[in-house]
Amino acid sequence: MIQFKHVSKRYPPGIDALPDIDFEIGDGEFAVISGHSGAGKSTLLKLVAAIERPTGGVVLVNGQNVGALKRNAVPYLRRNLGLVFQDQKLLFDRNVFENAMLPLSIAGFPPREAAKRVRAALDKVGLLEREKAMPIALSGGEQQRLAIARAVVNRPNLLIADEPTAHLDHETARDVAQIFRDFHQVGVAVVVATYDSGLFPEARRIALNHGRLA
Ligand code: ADP
């Protein structure tokens, strides 16, 4: 599902975030990327999502060389990926339902089928009752759950999350962790970057130390 072959990533002016990394994540696998701040966790996920391009080596996702994708092919890649990233903010002038609907509206889904998928996703994260609420009225944990619902309305086979439990208290973090577990249990591959890998004891741990596998 994901293959990194001798992948390196250097940011200007010469920061080697990942000097040379090799690993695979299989279909339906549950993996946690752990490591200190600055270890390269976000960079690794951004390479998977084609947010960043590798400086060297090959990143394959679902058999596609994502580092070599043309810019106009990236949206097609993303349709099979669910992304939960800090910088993908919720729209605070749209309600819960509309936020979760966004990826399907952009993809031009027929509204009735889209609404069905949105409600199924909101149900999975326990937000169905709150579909009319505005994001400002949600707790931090609920906002994170909405971000997850929005990431999965396309029914991706791979869900990627960067520090999805940051800024949450421990109990709320455990609830959010459980949602990732639920998706894994229905066959979705899940890759979570987190400083708190204790939240995911059953996941395979890929530990990074200064951009190298520890
Ligand atoms: P983590 O997610 O583990 O905290 P990152 O992948 O964010 O690690 O960062 C790895 C290294 O790359 C750090 O030294 C960081 O400062 C650097 N870095 C990350 N993004 C950029 C960028 N856009 N430009 C320059 N340096 C970056």
Side-chain angles (χ1 to χ4, degrees), residues 11-12 15 17 36-43 52:
Y11 293 107
I15 299 159
H36 58 90
S37 173
K41 306 182 294 297
S42 294
T43 298
E52 293 286 353

Side-chain angles (χ1 to χ4, degrees), residues 9-47:
K9 176 64 186 178
R10 167 175 284 192
Y11 293 107
I15 299 159
D16 286 314
L18 301 173
D20 179 1
I21 193 166
D22 256 300
F23 68 91
E24 290 187 20
I25 294 175
D27 287 351
E29 207 173 341
F30 190 175
V32 161
I33 316 293
S34 68
H36 58 90
S37 173
K41 306 182 294 297
S42 294
T43 298
L44 190 150
L45 296 187
K46 285 176 181 167
L47 292 173

Side-chain angles (χ1 to χ4, degrees), residues 77-179:
L77 165 79
R78 300 258 174 87
R79 256 171 233 184
N80 288 316
L81 300 183
L83 304 182
V84 183
F85 277 75
Q86 317 285 350
D87 52 1
Q88 298 200 315
K89 302 266 188 273
L90 300 172
L91 301 178
F92 278 79
D93 57 345
R94 313 271 178 95
N95 68 26
V96 164
F97 183 90
E98 291 161 342
N99 266 280
M101 176 72 106
L102 205 65
L104 299 178
S105 308
I106 292 169
F109 253 74
R112 193 183 295 190
E113 168 68 10
K116 233 188 328 191
R117 285 189 175 210
V118 168
R119 295 215 163 85
L122 291 176
D123 191 29
K124 285 204 190 97
V125 302
L127 281 181
L128 198 49
E129 249 86 272
R130 311 225 51 194
E131 67 170 51
K132 295 249 164 27
M134 298 304 277
I136 195 79
L138 302 179
S139 68
E142 286 172 330
Q143 289 185 13
Q144 197 55 281
R145 286 193 268 147
L146 175 54
I148 298 169
R150 184 183 56 185
V152 299
V153 284
N154 278 322
R155 298 184 182 157
N157 60 3
L158 172 58
L159 181 56
I160 297 172
D162 192 9
E163 300 286 2
T165 60
H167 318 301
L168 300 178
D169 63 65
H170 193 64
E171 199 177 323
T172 311
R174 280 174 47 175
D175 290 345
V176 169
Q178 182 58 43
I179 292 170

